[in-house]
Short mmCIF file of all heavy atoms in Angstrom, two decimals:
data_model
loop_
_atom_site.label_atom_id
_atom_site.label_comp_id
_atom_site.label_asym_id
_atom_site.label_seq_id
_atom_site.Cartn_x
_atom_site.Cartn_y
_atom_site.Cartn_z
N GLN A 1 -153.29 -49.73 -226.30
CA GLN A 1 -154.73 -49.69 -226.04
C GLN A 1 -155.40 -50.95 -226.58
O GLN A 1 -154.93 -51.58 -227.53
CB GLN A 1 -155.35 -48.47 -226.72
CG GLN A 1 -154.89 -47.13 -226.15
CD GLN A 1 -155.71 -46.68 -224.97
OE1 GLN A 1 -156.93 -46.80 -224.95
NE2 GLN A 1 -155.03 -46.16 -223.95
N SER A 2 -156.53 -51.32 -225.99
CA SER A 2 -157.28 -52.47 -226.48
C SER A 2 -157.84 -52.23 -227.88
O SER A 2 -157.97 -53.16 -228.68
CB SER A 2 -158.42 -52.80 -225.52
OG SER A 2 -159.30 -51.69 -225.39
N PHE A 3 -158.15 -50.98 -228.21
CA PHE A 3 -158.59 -50.62 -229.55
C PHE A 3 -157.36 -50.49 -230.43
O PHE A 3 -156.47 -49.68 -230.16
CB PHE A 3 -159.36 -49.30 -229.50
CG PHE A 3 -159.91 -48.86 -230.84
CD1 PHE A 3 -161.13 -49.35 -231.28
CD2 PHE A 3 -159.22 -47.96 -231.64
CE1 PHE A 3 -161.64 -48.95 -232.50
CE2 PHE A 3 -159.72 -47.56 -232.86
CZ PHE A 3 -160.94 -48.06 -233.30
N ARG A 4 -157.29 -51.28 -231.50
CA ARG A 4 -156.05 -51.40 -232.27
C ARG A 4 -156.08 -50.64 -233.60
O ARG A 4 -155.02 -50.43 -234.20
CB ARG A 4 -155.79 -52.89 -232.58
CG ARG A 4 -155.79 -53.80 -231.36
CD ARG A 4 -154.55 -53.62 -230.54
NE ARG A 4 -153.34 -54.04 -231.26
CZ ARG A 4 -152.11 -53.87 -230.78
NH1 ARG A 4 -151.94 -53.27 -229.61
NH2 ARG A 4 -151.07 -54.26 -231.48
N ASP A 5 -157.25 -50.23 -234.06
CA ASP A 5 -157.37 -49.61 -235.38
C ASP A 5 -157.01 -48.14 -235.29
O ASP A 5 -157.86 -47.24 -235.37
CB ASP A 5 -158.78 -49.80 -235.92
CG ASP A 5 -158.91 -49.33 -237.37
OD1 ASP A 5 -157.87 -49.11 -238.01
OD2 ASP A 5 -160.05 -49.19 -237.85
N VAL A 6 -155.73 -47.87 -235.11
CA VAL A 6 -155.25 -46.51 -234.92
C VAL A 6 -153.89 -46.35 -235.58
O VAL A 6 -153.09 -47.31 -235.64
CB VAL A 6 -155.16 -46.16 -233.41
CG1 VAL A 6 -154.16 -47.07 -232.71
CG2 VAL A 6 -154.78 -44.70 -233.21
N GLU A 7 -153.63 -45.18 -236.12
CA GLU A 7 -152.30 -44.83 -236.62
C GLU A 7 -151.81 -43.66 -235.80
O GLU A 7 -152.51 -42.66 -235.62
CB GLU A 7 -152.36 -44.43 -238.09
CG GLU A 7 -151.02 -43.95 -238.64
CD GLU A 7 -151.11 -43.43 -240.07
OE1 GLU A 7 -151.53 -42.27 -240.26
OE2 GLU A 7 -150.78 -44.21 -240.99
N LEU A 8 -150.59 -43.77 -235.28
CA LEU A 8 -149.98 -42.68 -234.54
C LEU A 8 -148.93 -42.04 -235.45
O LEU A 8 -147.90 -42.63 -235.74
CB LEU A 8 -149.33 -43.18 -233.26
CG LEU A 8 -148.59 -42.13 -232.42
CD1 LEU A 8 -149.51 -40.96 -232.07
CD2 LEU A 8 -148.02 -42.75 -231.15
N LEU A 9 -149.23 -40.85 -235.92
CA LEU A 9 -148.34 -40.13 -236.82
C LEU A 9 -147.51 -39.15 -236.00
O LEU A 9 -148.05 -38.22 -235.37
CB LEU A 9 -149.16 -39.38 -237.87
CG LEU A 9 -148.39 -38.52 -238.88
CD1 LEU A 9 -147.40 -39.37 -239.67
CD2 LEU A 9 -149.35 -37.83 -239.82
N ALA A 10 -146.19 -39.35 -235.96
CA ALA A 10 -145.29 -38.51 -235.19
C ALA A 10 -144.43 -37.69 -236.15
O ALA A 10 -143.77 -38.25 -237.03
CB ALA A 10 -144.41 -39.36 -234.28
N VAL A 11 -144.43 -36.38 -235.97
CA VAL A 11 -143.59 -35.50 -236.77
C VAL A 11 -142.37 -35.12 -235.94
O VAL A 11 -142.50 -34.47 -234.90
CB VAL A 11 -144.36 -34.23 -237.20
CG1 VAL A 11 -143.42 -33.26 -237.92
CG2 VAL A 11 -145.53 -34.61 -238.09
N ASP A 12 -141.20 -35.56 -236.39
CA ASP A 12 -139.95 -35.18 -235.73
C ASP A 12 -139.57 -33.80 -236.24
O ASP A 12 -139.12 -33.63 -237.38
CB ASP A 12 -138.86 -36.21 -236.07
CG ASP A 12 -137.46 -35.71 -235.72
OD1 ASP A 12 -137.35 -34.86 -234.81
OD2 ASP A 12 -136.49 -36.15 -236.38
N ASN A 13 -139.75 -32.79 -235.38
CA ASN A 13 -139.49 -31.41 -235.77
C ASN A 13 -138.00 -31.08 -235.64
O ASN A 13 -137.61 -30.15 -234.92
CB ASN A 13 -140.35 -30.47 -234.90
CG ASN A 13 -140.45 -29.07 -235.48
OD1 ASN A 13 -140.01 -28.80 -236.59
ND2 ASN A 13 -141.04 -28.17 -234.70
N ALA A 14 -137.19 -31.87 -236.34
CA ALA A 14 -135.72 -31.71 -236.31
C ALA A 14 -135.23 -31.63 -234.87
O ALA A 14 -134.39 -30.79 -234.53
CB ALA A 14 -135.30 -30.47 -237.11
N SER A 15 -135.72 -32.54 -234.03
CA SER A 15 -135.38 -32.51 -232.62
C SER A 15 -133.90 -32.80 -232.41
O SER A 15 -133.37 -33.78 -232.96
CB SER A 15 -136.22 -33.54 -231.85
OG SER A 15 -135.98 -33.46 -230.47
N PRO A 16 -133.19 -31.98 -231.60
CA PRO A 16 -131.75 -32.16 -231.44
C PRO A 16 -131.35 -33.17 -230.37
O PRO A 16 -130.16 -33.39 -230.14
CB PRO A 16 -131.28 -30.75 -231.03
CG PRO A 16 -132.45 -30.19 -230.28
CD PRO A 16 -133.68 -30.75 -230.95
N ASP A 17 -132.32 -33.79 -229.69
CA ASP A 17 -131.99 -34.74 -228.64
C ASP A 17 -132.08 -36.16 -229.20
O ASP A 17 -131.93 -36.39 -230.40
CB ASP A 17 -132.91 -34.54 -227.43
CG ASP A 17 -134.38 -34.75 -227.77
OD1 ASP A 17 -134.70 -35.07 -228.96
OD2 ASP A 17 -135.23 -34.59 -226.88
N HIS A 18 -132.33 -37.13 -228.33
CA HIS A 18 -132.41 -38.52 -228.78
C HIS A 18 -133.84 -38.92 -229.17
O HIS A 18 -134.10 -40.10 -229.41
CB HIS A 18 -131.90 -39.46 -227.69
CG HIS A 18 -130.42 -39.31 -227.41
ND1 HIS A 18 -129.45 -39.64 -228.32
CD2 HIS A 18 -129.77 -38.84 -226.31
CE1 HIS A 18 -128.26 -39.40 -227.80
NE2 HIS A 18 -128.42 -38.90 -226.59
N GLY A 19 -134.73 -37.96 -229.26
CA GLY A 19 -136.09 -38.25 -229.64
C GLY A 19 -136.22 -38.98 -230.97
O GLY A 19 -136.97 -39.96 -231.08
N PRO A 20 -135.50 -38.55 -232.03
CA PRO A 20 -135.62 -39.26 -233.31
C PRO A 20 -135.23 -40.74 -233.22
O PRO A 20 -135.90 -41.60 -233.80
CB PRO A 20 -134.65 -38.49 -234.21
CG PRO A 20 -134.63 -37.11 -233.64
CD PRO A 20 -134.72 -37.31 -232.15
N GLU A 21 -134.16 -41.04 -232.46
CA GLU A 21 -133.75 -42.44 -232.31
C GLU A 21 -134.80 -43.24 -231.53
O GLU A 21 -135.09 -44.40 -231.87
CB GLU A 21 -132.41 -42.52 -231.59
CG GLU A 21 -131.23 -42.04 -232.41
CD GLU A 21 -131.05 -40.52 -232.36
OE1 GLU A 21 -131.89 -39.84 -231.73
OE2 GLU A 21 -130.06 -40.03 -232.96
N ILE A 22 -135.38 -42.62 -230.53
CA ILE A 22 -136.43 -43.30 -229.76
C ILE A 22 -137.63 -43.59 -230.65
O ILE A 22 -138.21 -44.69 -230.61
CB ILE A 22 -136.83 -42.44 -228.54
CG1 ILE A 22 -135.66 -42.34 -227.56
CG2 ILE A 22 -138.05 -43.02 -227.85
CD1 ILE A 22 -135.90 -41.37 -226.43
N LEU A 23 -138.00 -42.63 -231.49
CA LEU A 23 -139.11 -42.85 -232.42
C LEU A 23 -138.80 -44.01 -233.37
O LEU A 23 -139.68 -44.84 -233.66
CB LEU A 23 -139.41 -41.59 -233.21
CG LEU A 23 -140.10 -40.44 -232.45
CD1 LEU A 23 -140.21 -39.22 -233.35
CD2 LEU A 23 -141.47 -40.87 -231.96
N ASP A 24 -137.57 -44.07 -233.86
CA ASP A 24 -137.19 -45.17 -234.76
C ASP A 24 -137.33 -46.52 -234.06
O ASP A 24 -137.85 -47.50 -234.64
CB ASP A 24 -135.74 -44.99 -235.23
CG ASP A 24 -135.61 -43.91 -236.29
OD1 ASP A 24 -136.64 -43.55 -236.89
OD2 ASP A 24 -134.48 -43.43 -236.51
N GLU A 25 -136.86 -46.59 -232.81
CA GLU A 25 -136.95 -47.85 -232.07
C GLU A 25 -138.41 -48.25 -231.85
O GLU A 25 -138.76 -49.43 -232.00
CB GLU A 25 -136.24 -47.70 -230.73
CG GLU A 25 -134.73 -47.51 -230.85
CD GLU A 25 -134.09 -47.19 -229.50
OE1 GLU A 25 -134.83 -47.20 -228.49
OE2 GLU A 25 -132.87 -46.94 -229.47
N LEU A 26 -139.24 -47.30 -231.50
CA LEU A 26 -140.65 -47.60 -231.25
C LEU A 26 -141.37 -47.97 -232.54
O LEU A 26 -142.21 -48.89 -232.56
CB LEU A 26 -141.33 -46.38 -230.60
CG LEU A 26 -140.84 -46.03 -229.19
CD1 LEU A 26 -141.38 -44.66 -228.78
CD2 LEU A 26 -141.29 -47.09 -228.19
N ALA A 27 -141.03 -47.31 -233.64
CA ALA A 27 -141.66 -47.62 -234.92
C ALA A 27 -141.27 -48.99 -235.43
O ALA A 27 -142.05 -49.68 -236.11
CB ALA A 27 -141.30 -46.55 -235.95
N ALA A 28 -140.04 -49.42 -235.11
CA ALA A 28 -139.60 -50.74 -235.53
C ALA A 28 -140.40 -51.84 -234.84
O ALA A 28 -140.54 -52.95 -235.38
CB ALA A 28 -138.10 -50.91 -235.24
N ARG A 29 -140.95 -51.55 -233.67
CA ARG A 29 -141.73 -52.54 -232.94
C ARG A 29 -143.19 -52.57 -233.36
O ARG A 29 -143.88 -53.57 -233.18
CB ARG A 29 -141.67 -52.24 -231.44
CG ARG A 29 -140.28 -52.23 -230.83
CD ARG A 29 -140.36 -51.83 -229.38
NE ARG A 29 -139.10 -51.36 -228.85
CZ ARG A 29 -138.95 -50.71 -227.71
NH1 ARG A 29 -140.03 -50.47 -226.96
NH2 ARG A 29 -137.76 -50.32 -227.30
N ASP A 30 -143.66 -51.44 -233.90
CA ASP A 30 -145.10 -51.36 -234.22
C ASP A 30 -145.28 -50.48 -235.44
O ASP A 30 -144.99 -49.28 -235.41
CB ASP A 30 -145.87 -50.78 -233.03
CG ASP A 30 -147.38 -51.00 -233.14
OD1 ASP A 30 -147.91 -50.85 -234.26
OD2 ASP A 30 -148.01 -51.29 -232.11
N GLU A 31 -145.75 -51.07 -236.53
CA GLU A 31 -145.88 -50.34 -237.79
C GLU A 31 -146.98 -49.28 -237.75
O GLU A 31 -147.08 -48.46 -238.66
CB GLU A 31 -146.15 -51.31 -238.94
CG GLU A 31 -147.45 -52.07 -238.81
CD GLU A 31 -147.66 -53.06 -239.94
OE1 GLU A 31 -146.73 -53.26 -240.75
OE2 GLU A 31 -148.76 -53.63 -240.02
N ARG A 32 -147.79 -49.29 -236.70
CA ARG A 32 -148.83 -48.27 -236.59
C ARG A 32 -148.26 -46.91 -236.19
O ARG A 32 -148.94 -45.90 -236.30
CB ARG A 32 -149.89 -48.70 -235.58
CG ARG A 32 -150.71 -49.93 -236.03
CD ARG A 32 -151.66 -50.36 -234.93
NE ARG A 32 -150.92 -50.73 -233.73
CZ ARG A 32 -151.46 -50.73 -232.49
NH1 ARG A 32 -152.71 -50.37 -232.31
NH2 ARG A 32 -150.71 -51.09 -231.46
#
């Protein structure tokens, strides 16, 4: 988004799929 002052807090609810790895990859690109 053009508005940058945001934190996206994602709770991995012990997901059994590849969701946790995807979150790690996305978090590595953007500390928000």
Side-chain angles (χ1 to χ4, degrees):
Q1 294 274 318
S2 59
F3 182 84
R4 306 287 295 174
D5 188 13
V6 62
E7 175 185 80
L8 177 55
L9 178 59
V11 175
D12 166 26
N13 196 8
S15 184
D17 60 1
H18 293 294
E21 290 84 357
I22 294 172
L23 287 175
D24 284 343
E25 293 173 4
L26 294 169
R29 301 176 200 166
D30 195 319
E31 63 182 8
R32 293 175 300 158

